[in-house]
Amino acid sequence: MDLTALTRRHLLRQTAGGIGAVALASLLSPRAFAAEPLAGPMVVRPPHFAPKATRVIFLSMAGAPSQIDLFDDKPKLRELNGQDIPESYTKGERFAFIKGTPKMLGSPFTFSRHGKSGQEISQLLPHLGGIADDIALVRSLHTEQFNHAPAQVFMNTGSALFGRPSAGSWVTYGLGSVNQDLPGYVVLLSGENAPDGGKSCWASGFLPSYYQGVEFRNSGEPVLSLSDPAGMTRDDRRASLDAIGALNRRQLDVIGDPEIATRIAAYELAFRMQTSVPELTDIRGEPKEVHDLYGTEPGKATFANNCLLARRLVERGTRFVHLYHRGWDHHGTNPGDSITDRLPKLCKEVDQGAAALVADLKRRGLLDSTLVVWAGEFGRTPMNEARSGSKHLGRDHHPHAFTIWMAGGGITGGITLGQTDELGYRPIADPVHVHDLNATMLHCLGMDHERLTYRFQGRDFRLTDVEGHVVKKLLV
């Protein structure tokens, strides 16, 4: 063949299929450089090593609850209440809203010890006290972001920049999902609105879009457009999907775009979800004692309802369930966002449901294999914000120290890890970065965070970026 007569158009036409097939194989499974099995992108894949947990329920308190008032009691802060904070703490610091020299603010709430472990928890979380021996408190979390949207995206994706895959996407990409009739990654929302980071908090980024979170709604159809139009039978829907699937597969053979494979798989999953999801989301059939345990109100958009739904999802094999409850932003600009008014209301909305979820998983034998995480995106300042001279008590954003709790698969219950200084400003023992939290979560699932990678734009990306260490002191 005379290669000098070979045009660019002819070359691309002749090699497109082969290049596309290689690209598709690489994108779907770059670690092995092999195409996904015919079972689809959510086929169960083996972990790197034996896991303690096989699924995750992540409870995100979007807006950032105050660790000073819930988990990290500071008697010295009460003693110094109303005094200027020493300049040594704030020199060179940037705050979202605080101006000048702020005054220290001791918590107006009391703390008590719970369980055999003696976990110290605020009066605002009485139900959590009932499961104190099952949870690990981590009082030394810190992050790099102090505004809501970038901090929420950072907590979920390991980067403050939009476009990175979320933790749930990484987990389902790495492990697949047990139940092929339900999404492997489900998102449930409650509270006053969606998180500030929006859908980027559960997006798949540069991973194939099949791995993004599927948002279940609180009213109407659980998933938009799930029901067939009036007059369409089940057989009609099956026939239309077969025809569309044949066209998509033909296009996939020609172009090799992995998003076409994602589309085929998504259509098939949606067809199966038409029967699996209505039964799943109808919580009315749960026994009365279960509704009493959670404090659920069927038909309403509540955090408690979502906690019960999360349990039902993991029972059926969903790999990653992420709950967001928005409204924890208590700056003290008015009574509606003060720590004396707003914070107790938010705690009442989530305390019973979160504690019931852990207790219910435990009695069903699911807690040992389910990792539960409760966290905000950052903490709250030990100082009163007093924005524009407001007399209402509130706290500004604080990235240097905040508290989360973890329970279940692979985590030692009844322990407190980390310590902050006498004002609660910075960690002074066992600091845990957001990357460390994500590395530990993946470890509990049997995955090495340094090996779970995806090649994009010439670089191997991972959830923990180029950082992160497993927090071994938390592990069983």
Side-chain angles (χ1 to χ4, degrees):
M1 181 178 180
D2 183 5
L3 294 180
T4 60
L6 184 63
T7 66
R8 181 168 63 94
R9 180 175 298 178
H10 180 77
L11 174 65
L12 292 174
R13 184 170 65 246
Q14 293 298 314
T15 60
I19 293 174
V22 171
L24 176 62
S26 174
L27 287 168
L28 288 179
S29 185
R31 291 165 297 171
F33 198 66
E36 292 284 358
L38 294 176
M42 282 295 183
V43 65
V44 175
R45 288 176 284 276
H48 297 139
F49 48 84
K52 294 292 186 180
T54 59
R55 49 196 166 257
V56 177
I57 300 175
F58 203 116
L59 311 176
S60 281
M61 304 296 109
S66 169
Q67 78 285 357
I68 297 290
D69 300 293
L70 299 182
F71 302 111
D72 198 5
D73 190 26
K74 294 297 175 184
K76 188 67 174 180
L77 199 57
R78 288 195 188 89
E79 178 186 327
L80 300 174
N81 185 67
Q83 298 183 31
D84 290 349
I85 191 168
E87 185 184 4
S88 59
Y89 282 91
T90 58
K91 186 176 181 180
E93 286 282 272
R94 291 190 306 156
F95 298 100
F97 297 101
I98 283 177
K99 305 294 183 184
T101 302
K103 298 185 181 303
M104 290 177 280
L105 176 60
S107 178
F109 306 107
T110 60
F111 285 69
S112 57
R113 296 191 177 276
H114 298 267
K116 295 179 181 179
S117 57
Q119 297 272 43
E120 198 171 23
I121 299 172
S122 168
Q123 69 181 86
L124 297 180
L125 300 171
H127 292 280
L128 188 66
I131 60 164
D133 292 334
D134 295 311
I135 66 173
L137 286 176
V138 185
R139 288 180 173 160
S140 52
L141 252 290
H142 59 103
T143 182
E144 299 169 9
Q145 304 297 323
F146 66 91
N147 283 318
H148 294 295
Q152 289 167 9
V153 173
F154 185 74
M155 172 67 80
N156 285 284
T157 71
S159 172
L161 302 176
F162 294 100
R164 298 285 180 86
S166 59
S169 298
W170 279 112
V171 169
T172 50
Y173 160 69
L175 297 175
S177 186
V178 175
N179 191 335
Q180 299 297 308
D181 294 335
L182 289 171
Y185 178 18
V186 172
V187 176
L188 305 172
L189 305 180
S190 59
E192 59 186 27
N193 49 43
D196 301 84
K199 297 183 186 301
S200 293
C201 291
W202 55 88
S204 59
F206 43 71
L207 291 177
S209 56
Y210 197 87
Y211 299 111
Q212 69 184 3
V214 176
E215 182 183 341
F216 280 17
R217 303 193 309 154
N218 291 306
S219 60
E221 287 187 304
V223 180
L224 284 173
S225 305
L226 190 63
S227 299
D228 288 326
M232 174 170 278
T233 67
R234 189 77 172 156
D235 289 341
D236 291 339
R237 172 58 72 195
R238 181 68 264 171
S240 70
L241 283 179
D242 288 342
I244 293 170
L247 291 172
N248 280 331
R249 281 187 289 273
R250 182 175 180 180
Q251 189 76 347
L252 178 62
D253 290 340
V254 174
I255 297 177
D257 184 350
E259 285 302 306
I260 299 176
T262 292
R263 186 185 309 155
I264 294 169
Y267 285 169
E268 292 299 327
L269 174 61
F271 181 74
R272 298 191 296 273
M273 285 170 59
Q274 287 183 312
T275 56
S276 64
V277 168
E279 179 275 332
L280 162 74
T281 55
D282 186 1
I283 64 173
R284 294 173 298 177
E286 290 281 347
K288 181 179 182 300
E289 63 93 10
V290 171
H291 289 295
D292 291 342
L293 176 66
Y294 283 85
T296 45
E297 300 176 87
K300 295 187 178 181
T302 69
F303 180 78
N305 284 7
N306 285 346
C307 285
L308 177 53
L309 184 54
R311 188 219 79 199
R312 291 167 64 88
L313 279 161
V314 298
E315 274 184 320
R316 289 160 173 78
T318 295
R319 183 73 72 181
F320 201 105
V321 185
H322 206 138
L323 281 65
Y324 291 88
H325 191 73
R326 181 67 171 89
W328 293 89
D329 207 14
H330 25 267
H331 287 278
T333 60
N334 60 74
D337 76 342
S338 70
I339 61 171
T340 53
D341 181 78
R342 183 62 173 161
L343 183 58
K345 290 180 180 178
L346 266 293
C347 289
K348 189 174 182 179
E349 290 174 9
V350 306
D351 180 39
Q352 183 176 353
L357 174 62
V358 173
D360 200 13
L361 290 170
K362 184 177 181 179
R363 69 180 184 174
R364 292 169 185 269
L366 294 171
L367 185 59
D368 287 344
S369 56
T370 305
L371 177 63
V372 182
V373 183
W374 188 102
E377 63 267 28
F378 44 64
R380 291 283 162 179
T381 57
M383 307 87 75
N384 189 18
E385 183 175 312
R387 193 190 312 179
S388 303
S390 173
K391 301 301 180 182
H392 304 289
L393 300 182
R395 302 187 189 276
D396 203 353
H397 307 168
H398 191 66
H400 302 309
F402 61 108
T403 301
I404 70 164
W405 60 259
M406 306 173 74
I411 299 298
T412 302
I415 66 169
T416 298
L417 179 74
Q419 180 183 352
T420 55
D421 58 54
E422 62 181 0
L423 300 185
Y425 202 93
R426 292 182 185 274
I428 57 174
D430 296 312
V432 177
H433 190 274
V434 167
H435 289 316
D436 302 331
L437 171 63
N438 284 328
T440 305
M441 178 174 66
L442 293 178
H443 179 88
C444 291
L445 292 164
M447 289 188 288
D448 182 341
H449 71 104
E450 294 183 346
R451 292 169 58 192
L452 182 64
T453 63
Y454 189 92
R455 194 157 190 82
F456 177 68
Q457 293 183 341
R459 175 191 159 188
D460 288 334
F461 284 85
R462 66 187 205 218
L463 174 60
T464 53
D465 197 32
V466 295
E467 303 178 57
H469 302 279
V470 175
V471 185
K472 294 184 180 179
K473 290 184 178 181
L474 286 172
L475 304 179
V476 173

